[in-house]
Amino acid sequence: MTSAVTDQIREHHQQLCEQLHFHNYRYHTLDAPKISDAEYDQLMQRLLQLEREYPALITPTSPSQRVGSAPLDKFAPAIHGEPMLSLENAFNRDDLIAFDARIKRFLATSADIEYLCEPKLDGVAVALTYETGVLVRAATRGDGTTGEDITQNVRTIRSVPLQLQNDFPDLVEVRGEIYIDLADFRQLNQQRRDAGKAPFANPRNLAAGSLRQLDPRLTATRPLKISCYGIGKLVGQPPSTQQQLLDDLTRWGLQVLLTETRRAANISAVINCYQQLQERRELLVYEIDGMVVKVNHRDLQAELGIKSRTPRWAIACKFPPRQAETVLESVRLQVGRTGAVTPVANLIPVNVGGVNVSSASLHNWDEIERLDVHIGDAVIVERAGDVIPAVVRVIKEKRTGTEQIIPRPTHCPACSSPLVQEDDEVVPRCQGIDCPARLKESLKHFCSRGGMDIQGMGDRYVDQLLQLQPVTSIADLYRLKKEDLFQFERMGDKLADNLLAAIENSKNRPLANLIHALGIRHVGSHTARLLAQQFGSLDKLAGADYDTLIAIHEIGPQVAGSIVNFFAAEKNRALLADLTELGIAPPAENCQPTGKLLEGKTIVLTGSLERFTRKEGEDLVMQQGGRASGSVSSKTDYVIAGPGAGSKLDKARSLGVTVLTEDEFLELITAGENP
Ligand code: IVH
């Protein structure tokens, strides 16, 4: 039975709704919140509580029905101030020489042409319009004349300044590429695999997909970055060279990949740069698919002009694709630590862009059906950012009729328990709690850098350990004796001592590492840290119920459910007891606020701090109920800047965020005044 709604309650509900709408607008539309995230969450909790008590109050327009500002129905068209051109392609040295010859012919000169060589990021082209230094619009390229307005999404990218710095022009259309770092791409794909979702094919697809979300809040969760390389319409002082243009963009606070940009005095130097960049390609933390060569002097660029839709003064010199043809010999099944069973192709070894490849990911059976791939097929494999290469295409013309279907598995290849595939997942999962394959992967994860960081206990030893010992749980690692280790291949006295010491040392890793190491589904390193800060001990976390977990900012229903399920399982309870008994005792996190001076405030520490370490500073913030964040936004309350502070300090100033020295900060939290 629901309680009767009095006028007073209705009015209270109305007020809460109005407040939430207002703050929602400030936060999501204006990006200028008037209250902290925590205060907003409190208001929302009050509304939810009221609506739980009086469900009759819920209407489709209540903020509870639409957390955050409403997603768009579609993107509005955006006409570019100047067309966004594309580039002609070169594929080798000869193409570059021909490009240089064309330019000299056009300019009727035999003198050397100076070029600027820039990395060609493989992402999504965007145009950012800044009016009086303020970001007013972000648009995709579209057909070059009209793109789509993706301003709300681009505003969520932290490296896109909302306000330019220094001597910015009255109006400028900045051109750049939005991309995702390889490490972030791999991590996101791993998370998707763990969650039973199809991984993204390459970083470019992930960046494009993230930008085309109609819900900006989803875009905000993606680690997008930008690199700027050009301008369209400009009302202001025009730069004289491309190099100067990049320097201008940098000075205005925009991100430019200057470290990989080279000036070349002539086309021979360009060819050298091209070869060098190709060698460096494997070392870069982002994916590039070539090098863009531009005539450096902008007056020459103007003279050369445009031919249909491509400029005569620039060319994209592409790298050879990281693809190769080979034959899929057989398929093996891999069981991950979460039980996900994925098909992996065993290939006839082939060199793909300098790397020898003998296996490739097939992702899942939907993907196998989409590719229509069979055992014995000639296939194209590609290295596209992911650690494991992927089969991208079948060469059907080469079929002989002897190819065989890749059957869907029904039972776990390691423990034979039946596989279960949930409706919203693309992979089947092994449910066997004693599955040796799951244990092996859990152990690898437990020992890894982000986990307990047991140095020396690499994948090879984990494999051997499981072959040699009757290991049944992660805890058995801590029961290993020296004589057990001697059974390992090439294990000497010293190495065994080192390994035992590494295992022993890991007992005191921070709580966040231990939580991450346990491999709870949906709990990555960031969430683990959050949980460690919030609960302070594994026991407290294990005892937390769903409602307590969901009340934590950043913890959603899926994560909360997964944590509760993990600690409800008897096997995991036994593991916790074992770990405690074996002396795995992460130092208690200094997490419980002892004061309220920074309650609800977001604080960023930057520069080389002298009065305390970064960790100590963050602890001080948390002790006073504040939140330490890594990046500055208009939601930041204070930036604490030590010597040598750079872009974060600049950003804080441009956004009008209060900047404190370390001493001022210490004074603030010891003075007893609520700021
Ligand atoms: S210049 C007229 N420079 O490659 C100038 N493009 O087709 C046109 N790209 O759409 C682009 N890095 O998305 C330029 N340093 C760079 C670039 C770059 C990546 C992309 C851009 C463009 C495509 C060329």
Side-chain angles (χ1 to χ4, degrees):
M1 211 184 80
T2 52
S3 321
V5 180
T6 62
D7 282 353
Q8 201 185 358
I9 288 162
R10 197 172 289 285
E11 199 174 316
H12 179 45
H13 179 261
Q14 177 72 22
Q15 271 175 5
L16 272 175
C17 285
E18 277 172 18
Q19 276 178 300
L20 279 158
H21 276 310
F22 171 73
H23 291 300
N24 188 63
Y25 171 75
R26 297 284 310 193
Y27 185 101
H28 288 286
T29 311
L30 300 184
D31 196 22
K34 287 217 133 195
I35 56 173
S36 69
D37 289 4
E39 283 166 313
Y40 183 88
D41 290 346
Q42 273 169 17
L43 281 177
M44 181 60 85
Q45 287 304 325
R46 274 161 58 191
L47 179 77
L48 292 172
Q49 175 61 33
L50 197 64
E51 290 184 349
R52 263 197 298 272
E53 249 173 83
Y54 305 97
L57 290 172
I58 304 174
T59 65
T61 53
S62 163
S64 67
Q65 306 300 300
R66 191 203 61 175
V67 182
S69 87
L72 304 170
D73 292 333
K74 60 175 170 36
F75 297 112
I79 300 167
H80 302 301
E82 257 180 37
M84 283 181 84
L85 305 174
S86 58
L87 293 175
E88 258 183 55
N89 289 329
F91 296 96
N92 50 44
R93 184 176 180 278
D94 290 350
D95 291 347
L96 281 172
I97 290 171
F99 165 69
D100 183 61
R102 276 200 303 276
I103 287 175
K104 286 178 177 154
R105 221 176 16 252
F106 197 93
L107 296 175
T109 175
S110 57
D112 276 352
I113 305 288
E114 185 179 277
Y115 295 101
L116 204 69
C117 303
E118 300 170 5
K120 185 173 184 300
L121 271 168
D122 200 9
V124 182
V126 285
L128 311 174
T129 309
Y130 285 91
E131 277 173 17
T132 58
V134 177
L135 177 69
V136 291
R137 196 185 72 176
T140 60
R141 179 170 180 274
D143 63 6
T145 311
T146 310
E148 287 179 319
D149 187 325
I150 52 164
T151 313
Q152 291 308 327
N153 288 348
V154 170
R155 285 174 69 85
T156 69
I157 304 171
R158 288 166 199 268
S159 52
V160 173
L162 301 178
Q163 162 78 61
L164 297 181
Q165 305 163 14
N166 299 316
D167 56 340
F168 55 78
D170 290 343
L171 182 129
V172 62
E173 255 187 339
V174 176
R175 304 282 160 82
E177 196 85 350
I178 288 179
Y179 68 100
I180 281 187
D181 275 346
L182 282 168
D184 288 329
F185 170 71
R186 288 171 185 157
Q187 195 186 354
L188 264 165
N189 258 4
Q190 190 54 50
Q191 279 169 13
R192 281 183 76 86
R193 287 192 193 103
D194 286 351
K197 293 191 186 136
F200 292 96
N202 52 50
R204 196 183 57 75
N205 282 14
L206 174 54
S210 305
L211 274 182
R212 296 211 76 258
Q213 294 295 331
L214 286 167
D215 187 345
R217 288 161 304 168
L218 218 146
T219 309
T221 67
R222 301 280 168 80
L224 295 167
K225 295 196 167 153
I226 193 166
S227 163
C228 302
Y229 52 71
I231 53 170
K233 194 171 172 187
L234 170 77
V235 180
Q237 179 71 31
S240 60
T241 61
Q242 173 66 16
Q243 185 154 43
Q244 158 108 63
L245 186 158
L246 297 185
D247 290 342
D248 286 350
L249 293 176
T250 309
R251 208 176 49 256
W252 299 337
L254 291 148
Q255 201 158 71
V256 181
L257 293 178
L258 284 175
T259 50
E260 298 305 324
T261 298
R262 306 273 183 275
R263 195 160 60 90
N266 51 40
I267 201 69
S268 313
V270 168
I271 292 164
N272 278 340
C273 289
Y274 177 57
Q275 279 156 356
Q276 280 164 15
L277 189 61
Q278 209 163 318
E279 280 162 23
R280 288 181 54 74
R281 182 187 190 189
E282 300 294 332
L283 307 174
L284 298 178
V285 297
Y286 41 80
E287 185 84 337
I288 57 172
D289 61 347
M291 183 177 92
V292 181
V293 183
K294 298 174 183 172
V295 169
N296 195 22
H297 286 274
R298 299 212 347 136
D299 50 355
L300 291 186
Q301 288 183 5
E303 210 175 322
L304 286 157
I306 293 160
K307 186 180 78 181
S308 71
R309 309 199 57 77
T310 57
R312 284 194 191 83
W313 46 267
I315 199 158
C317 202
K318 302 293 268 286
F319 292 144
R322 293 201 269 205
Q323 285 191 344
E325 183 188 325
T326 182
V327 172
L328 190 157
E329 284 196 305
S330 59
V331 171
R332 65 178 190 275
L333 300 175
Q334 213 165 47
V335 186
R337 77 187 145 82
T338 60
V341 176
T342 46
V344 179
N346 294 321
L347 307 165
I348 294 182
V350 62
N351 187 306
V352 187
V355 173
N356 225 17
V357 168
S358 59
S359 61
S361 171
L362 286 166
H363 303 310
N364 55 62
W365 274 266
D366 290 355
E367 178 71 358
I368 288 174
E369 273 171 24
R370 192 187 65 78
L371 290 167
D372 189 22
V373 59
H374 290 59
I375 292 165
D377 265 334
V379 293
I380 299 291
V381 285
E382 182 181 37
R383 291 199 297 124
D386 231 333
V387 182
I388 326 163
V391 170
V392 290
R393 190 161 61 82
V394 174
I395 309 172
K396 295 211 178 127
E397 306 81 65
K398 294 210 172 170
R399 285 214 170 135
T400 61
T402 58
E403 295 77 15
Q404 289 163 12
I405 281 184
I406 303 168
R408 271 180 195 262
T410 54
H411 290 78
C412 173
C415 73
S416 306
S417 55
L419 299 180
V420 176
Q421 184 165 345
E422 302 285 342
D423 285 347
D424 57 342
E425 300 208 324
V426 291
V427 286
R429 279 178 201 277
C430 163
Q431 310 290 311
I433 50 168
D434 291 319
C435 175
R438 291 181 64 182
L439 177 61
K440 188 199 279 187
E441 295 307 314
S442 303
L443 270 169
K444 288 179 182 172
H445 176 73
F446 189 84
C447 299
S448 69
R449 269 249 308 267
M452 296 300 259
D453 195 11
I454 305 182
Q455 273 156 29
M457 197 69 193
D459 290 2
R460 236 189 41 219
Y461 283 148
V462 172
D463 288 343
Q464 288 184 39
L465 179 65
L466 285 165
Q467 280 164 13
L468 295 167
Q469 296 277 326
V471 173
T472 56
S473 141
I474 286 168
D476 289 342
L477 260 183
Y478 294 96
R479 298 192 177 101
L480 285 176
K481 306 215 164 40
K482 201 163 171 181
E483 53 268 29
D484 300 326
L485 299 184
F486 280 141
Q487 297 175 46
F488 288 4
E489 272 170 33
R490 287 191 286 276
M491 179 61 69
D493 199 53
K494 189 151 173 36
L495 208 54
D497 280 340
N498 286 349
L499 201 48
L500 282 180
I503 294 173
E504 188 60 30
N505 278 342
S506 75
K507 288 182 174 175
N508 297 318
R509 291 271 179 272
L511 180 60
N513 287 58
L514 177 58
I515 296 172
H516 184 222
L518 290 175
I520 307 167
R521 245 179 111 190
H522 306 303
V523 177
S525 52
H526 175 74
T527 308
R529 184 142 188 252
L530 200 73
L531 293 169
Q533 285 164 0
Q534 201 74 30
F535 291 98
S537 83
L538 197 56
D539 278 346
K540 286 207 182 103
L541 172 63
D545 61 12
Y546 181 86
D547 287 343
T548 311
L549 288 161
I550 197 99
I552 301 170
H553 186 66
E554 288 189 69
I555 303 272
Q558 199 179 36
V559 182
S562 173
I563 296 169
V564 169
N565 283 343
F566 182 89
F567 290 111
E570 208 176 306
K571 195 177 150 97
N572 294 330
R573 290 234 160 239
L575 172 65
L576 294 200
D578 276 2
L579 290 176
T580 312
E581 196 190 306
L582 289 161
I584 287 80
E589 291 276 334
N590 217 349
C591 65
Q592 294 308 324
T594 50
K596 289 185 167 192
L597 294 171
L598 298 174
E599 199 169 15
K601 303 271 188 249
T602 302
I603 283 110
V604 175
L605 296 140
T606 186
S608 52
L609 301 166
E610 291 177 330
R611 301 289 307 254
F612 36 75
T613 65
R614 189 160 303 263
K615 169 92 177 62
E616 285 163 354
E618 286 176 2
D619 284 348
L620 287 171
V621 169
M622 278 183 293
Q623 276 164 23
Q624 292 297 337
R627 198 169 75 88
S629 164
S631 56
V632 180
S633 75
S634 60
K635 292 169 207 104
T636 309
D637 294 286
Y638 299 105
V639 166
I640 299 151
S647 60
K648 288 183 192 175
L649 178 59
D650 293 343
K651 188 160 181 187
R653 291 206 172 116
S654 72
L655 291 171
V657 173
T658 308
V659 177
L660 302 176
T661 62
E662 290 168 79
D663 285 330
E664 282 167 343
F665 168 66
L666 289 172
E667 224 167 86
L668 180 79
I669 58 170
T670 48
E673 280 171 299
N674 199 338

